[in-house]
């Protein structure tokens, strides 16, 4: 059984790192409070879909890239593991 909060947090951390932007600049642009972002990025709380969309937009990611793999179509998941 997967941990949705932790898997999503990992994806968000990777998206922020890939964007070469600071966590602070992401929180400033998305309006997500810095303390809230830190709590969620550590996997202690779950991101809302609205927050994931805002993070995707500010990091140049696609929203689906931030979702846990279980939300992706089976064919895509199987292709990634092959």
């Amino acid at each position: 059984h997967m941990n949705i909060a932790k898997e999503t947090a990992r994806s968000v951390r990777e998206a922020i790192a890939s964007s070469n932007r600071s966590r602070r600049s992401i929180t400033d642009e998305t309006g997500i409070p810095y303390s809230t972002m830190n709590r969620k990025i550590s996997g202690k709380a779950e991101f809302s879909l609205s927050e994931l969309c805002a993070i995707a937009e500010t990091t140049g990611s696609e929203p689906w890239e931030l979702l846990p793999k279980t939300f992706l179509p089976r064919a895509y998941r199987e292709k990634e593991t092959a």
Side-chain angles (χ1 to χ4, degrees):
H1 178 271
M2 72 160 169
N3 184 319
I4 289 176
K6 288 187 177 174
E7 189 174 338
T8 305
R10 181 175 52 248
S11 297
V12 169
R13 284 193 305 271
E14 290 170 0
I16 292 172
S18 295
S19 73
N20 293 315
R21 293 183 58 180
S22 69
R23 195 176 295 178
R24 177 69 71 184
S25 75
I26 299 294
T27 61
D28 288 348
E29 192 169 327
T30 60
I32 300 169
Y34 190 74
S35 59
T36 300
M37 176 71 83
N38 284 337
R39 186 174 65 255
K40 292 182 177 192
I41 220 163
S42 68
K44 294 179 181 152
E46 292 183 12
F47 286 95
S48 71
L49 290 176
S50 297
E51 289 169 333
L52 291 177
C53 285
I55 292 165
E57 187 174 318
T58 58
T59 60
S61 305
E62 294 292 336
W64 65 264
E65 294 176 303
L66 303 180
L67 294 173
K69 301 292 183 248
T70 192
F71 285 89
L72 301 178
R74 182 174 290 114
Y76 183 86
R77 293 193 314 261
E78 291 167 356
K79 183 175 70 174
E80 269 209 341
T81 59

